C-alpha cells in the first residue's frame, strides 16, 4: 500500500486554512468596504481573480500560449467557466444573502459532485462502497461540527441553492483539470482560468465598476491582494494535487475546507458563533481522513 508523503498533508492543510479564511474575509469585506450591491461584490471578485492569475504567471514553467494551444479547447473552457466564473458568480451571491458559516458548511458538497460526476466525465475509477461510507461519515461530522446559530442567518434557501450551484461548477472544473493539466500544466491552466474568469466577472458587473473603483483605497487594495494571494496559492497547490492523485481520495480531504471555514468564520465574524458539536464532528472528520489515506488507490482504466 502506497503511503502518502508528508508534503501532501501539508499542502492539503495549507489549502484548507487559506480557503477557510476566505469566508470571514469576504463576508466582513461587504461591510468594511461598503460592498452593498451584488454588482460591486462581483467587481471585487473579478479584480481579485485577475490579480491572482497574474501572480501565478512568474511560476509557470511552460510557455503560456504554446501550452494552452495544445490543451483541449472545450475542456479548457469548462475549467475557466467552472473554476472561476460560474463558481464565484454563485458563491458571492450566496455569501450576499446568507452567512459565512452556511457557505463553509455547504462547500463540502463539492466532494459528492466529484464522486458522482468523475466516472461519467472521465476514466476515473468508480467509487468503492468504502468511499461512500467514509463520505457519509464525513457528512455527519461536518453537520455536527458546523451546527451554530449563525448558519441559519439570512435567506437560507437561496443561499443553499447558490452554494450548491457553486460547488457543482467547481467540481466539473476540477474533474477536467486532471485531463487538461497533463497537457498544458496545472499552473499554466490555473493562471489562465483565474485571469480570464476574473475578466468575465468584471465584464458581467461593468455597470457597477465605476461606483466600486470610486471608493477604491489602500484598505480595499490590501484585502484584494490578500484574497488574490489566497486564490493563487490555494488553487495552484490544489490543482497540482488533482493532477497527481485520484479524485475519489481528494474528495474526502476536501472536508477539511468546511471545517476550517466554520472555525474561522465563527472566530472572525462577530454575529456567528461556534456550536459544541465541533469537537465530535472534527474527530469524525480526522478519523475519516486517516481511513481514506490507508485505502489502496485503484488504477485508472486505460
Amino acid at each position: 500500500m502506497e503511503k502518502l508523503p508528508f508534503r501532501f498533508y501539508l499542502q492539503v492543510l495549507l489549502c484548507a486554512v487559506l480557503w477557510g479564511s476566505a469566508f470571514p474575509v469576504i463576508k466582513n469585506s461587504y461591510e468594511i468596504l461598503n460592498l452593498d450591491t451584488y454588482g460591486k461584490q462581483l467587481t471585487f471578485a473579478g479584480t481579485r481573480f485577475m490579480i491572482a492569475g497574474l501572480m501565478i504567471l512568474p511560476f509557470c514553467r511552460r510557455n503560456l500560449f504554446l501550452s494552452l494551444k495544445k490543451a483541449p479547447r472545450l475542456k479548457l473552457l469548462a475549467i475557466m467557466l467552472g473554476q472561476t466564473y460560474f463558481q464565484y458568480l454563485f458563491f458571492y451571491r450566496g455569501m450576499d444573502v446568507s452567512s459565512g458559516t452556511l457557505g463553509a458548511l455547504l462547500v463540502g458538497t463539492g466532494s459528492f459532485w466529484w464522486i458522482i460526476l468523475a466516472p461519467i466525465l472521465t476514466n476515473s475509477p468508480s467509487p468503492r462502497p468504502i468511499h461512500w461510507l467514509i463520505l457519509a461519515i464525513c457528512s455527519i461530522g461536518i453537520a455536527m461540527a458546523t451546527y451554530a446559530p449563525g448558519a441559519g442567518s439570512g435567506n437560507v434557501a437561496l443561499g443553499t441553492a447558490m452554494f450548491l450551484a457553486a460547488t457543482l461548477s467547481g467540481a466539473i472544473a476540477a474533474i477536467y483539470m486532471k485531463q487538461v493539466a497533463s497537457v498544458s500544466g496545472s499552473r499554466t491552466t490555473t493562471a489562465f482560468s483565474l485571469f480570464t474568469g476574473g475578466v468575465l466577472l468584471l465584464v458581467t458587473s461593468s455597470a457597477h465598476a465605476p461606483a466600486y473603483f470610486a471608493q477604491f483605497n489602500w484598505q480595499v487594495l490590501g484585502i484584494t491582494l490578500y484574497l488574490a494571494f489566497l486564490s493563487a496559492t490555494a488553487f495552484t497547490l490544489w490543482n497540482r494535487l488533482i493532477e497527481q492523485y485520484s479524485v475519489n481520495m481528494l474528495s474526502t480531504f476536501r472536508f477539511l475546507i468546511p471545517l476550517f471555514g466554520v472555525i474561522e468564520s465563527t472566530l472572525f465574524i462577530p454575529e456567528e458563533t461556534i456550536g459544541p458539536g465541533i469537537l465530535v464532528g472534527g474527530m469524525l472528520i480526522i478519523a475519516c481522513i486517516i481511513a481514506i489515506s490507508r485505502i489502496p488507490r485503484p488504477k485508472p482504466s486505460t
Side-chain angles (χ1 to χ4, degrees), residues 2 20 45 62 106 130 147-148 213 219 235 263 269 286 302:
E2 182 181 352
R62 309 186 187 191
L106 293 178
I130 187 63
Y147 176 75
F213 287 109
Q219 188 176 38
F235 271 114
I263 292 174
I269 301 178
I286 293 173
T302 57

Side-chain angles (χ1 to χ4, degrees), residues 62-141:
R62 309 186 187 191
N63 182 285
L64 178 66
F65 298 104
L66 290 179
S67 298
L68 294 176
K69 187 177 180 180
K70 297 177 182 178
R73 294 185 180 180
L74 289 179
K75 293 179 180 179
L76 184 62
L77 179 64
I79 292 172
M80 182 268 289
L81 292 176
Q83 179 177 266
T84 308
Y85 181 66
F86 283 119
Q87 179 170 201
Y88 288 96
L89 193 71
F90 295 128
F91 177 82
Y92 272 76
R93 180 59 175 164
M95 291 291 285
D96 181 40
V97 301
S98 60
S99 68
T101 308
L102 179 65
L105 166 66
L106 293 178
V107 76
T109 60
S111 295
F112 293 103
W113 292 126
W114 280 27
I115 285 185
I116 293 170
L117 295 174
I120 300 173
L121 300 178
T122 70
N123 291 328
S124 175
S126 298
R128 298 165 55 185
I130 187 63
H131 288 115
W132 290 108
L133 176 62
I134 291 175
L135 283 173
I137 296 173
C138 269
S139 299
I140 296 173

Side-chain angles (χ1 to χ4, degrees), residues 6-297:
F6 174 75
R7 67 176 180 275
F8 172 87
Y9 296 101
L10 185 62
Q11 290 171 344
V12 168
L13 183 62
L14 180 58
C15 288
V17 172
L18 288 173
W19 269 323
S21 71
F23 297 98
V25 171
I26 292 172
K27 191 66 178 178
N28 288 328
S29 295
Y30 287 173
E31 181 177 352
I32 296 173
L33 306 182
N34 192 30
L35 303 178
D36 51 357
T37 65
Y38 180 49
K40 286 184 180 180
Q41 294 159 13
L42 286 186
T43 304
F44 176 57
T47 306
R48 160 195 175 184
F49 289 116
M50 277 186 58
I51 296 174
L54 293 175
M55 285 181 173
I56 300 173
L57 281 180
F59 300 96
C60 294
R61 298 176 181 176
R62 309 186 187 191
N63 182 285
L64 178 66
F65 298 104
L66 290 179
S67 298
L68 294 176
K69 187 177 180 180
K70 297 177 182 178
R73 294 185 180 180
L74 289 179
K75 293 179 180 179
L76 184 62
L77 179 64
I79 292 172
M80 182 268 289
L81 292 176
Q83 179 177 266
T84 308
Y85 181 66
F86 283 119
Q87 179 170 201
Y88 288 96
L89 193 71
F90 295 128
F91 177 82
Y92 272 76
R93 180 59 175 164
M95 291 291 285
D96 181 40
V97 301
S98 60
S99 68
T101 308
L102 179 65
L105 166 66
L106 293 178
V107 76
T109 60
S111 295
F112 293 103
W113 292 126
W114 280 27
I115 285 185
I116 293 170
L117 295 174
I120 300 173
L121 300 178
T122 70
N123 291 328
S124 175
S126 298
R128 298 165 55 185
I130 187 63
H131 288 115
W132 290 108
L133 176 62
I134 291 175
L135 283 173
I137 296 173
C138 269
S139 299
I140 296 173
I142 288 294
M144 296 177 67
T146 56
Y147 176 75
S153 62
N155 189 333
V156 178
L158 180 58
T160 297
M162 292 296 101
F163 288 128
L164 288 177
T167 56
L168 173 60
S169 301
I172 293 173
I175 290 169
Y176 283 127
M177 175 64 73
K178 192 170 187 67
Q179 298 177 340
V180 174
S182 62
V183 178
S184 58
S186 58
R187 293 180 186 175
T188 302
T189 308
T190 302
F192 170 79
S193 171
L194 294 179
F195 180 81
T196 53
V199 170
L200 286 179
L201 288 171
L202 284 175
V203 171
T204 302
S205 61
S206 58
H208 300 266
Y212 170 78
F213 287 109
Q215 63 188 39
F216 201 85
N217 54 34
W218 288 108
Q219 188 176 38
V220 177
L221 177 63
I223 294 176
T224 302
L225 288 177
Y226 170 74
L227 288 173
F229 169 79
L230 179 158
S231 296
T233 304
F235 271 114
T236 299
L237 289 175
W238 192 257
N239 288 340
R240 178 61 175 167
L241 292 175
I242 290 174
E243 186 179 2
Q244 295 177 321
Y245 299 96
S246 73
V247 170
N248 288 340
M249 184 189 67
L250 286 173
S251 62
T252 299
F253 283 93
R254 286 187 82 256
F255 279 97
L256 279 173
I257 299 171
L259 176 62
F260 276 92
V262 168
I263 292 174
E264 294 178 64
S265 292
T266 53
L267 285 176
F268 299 110
I269 301 178
E271 64 272 15
E272 298 184 20
T273 58
I274 198 167
I278 189 71
L279 296 177
V280 178
M283 290 174 63
L284 283 176
I285 295 169
I286 293 173
C288 288
I289 290 174
I290 295 173
I292 202 74
S293 68
R294 295 181 178 275
I295 298 175
R297 285 175 282 166

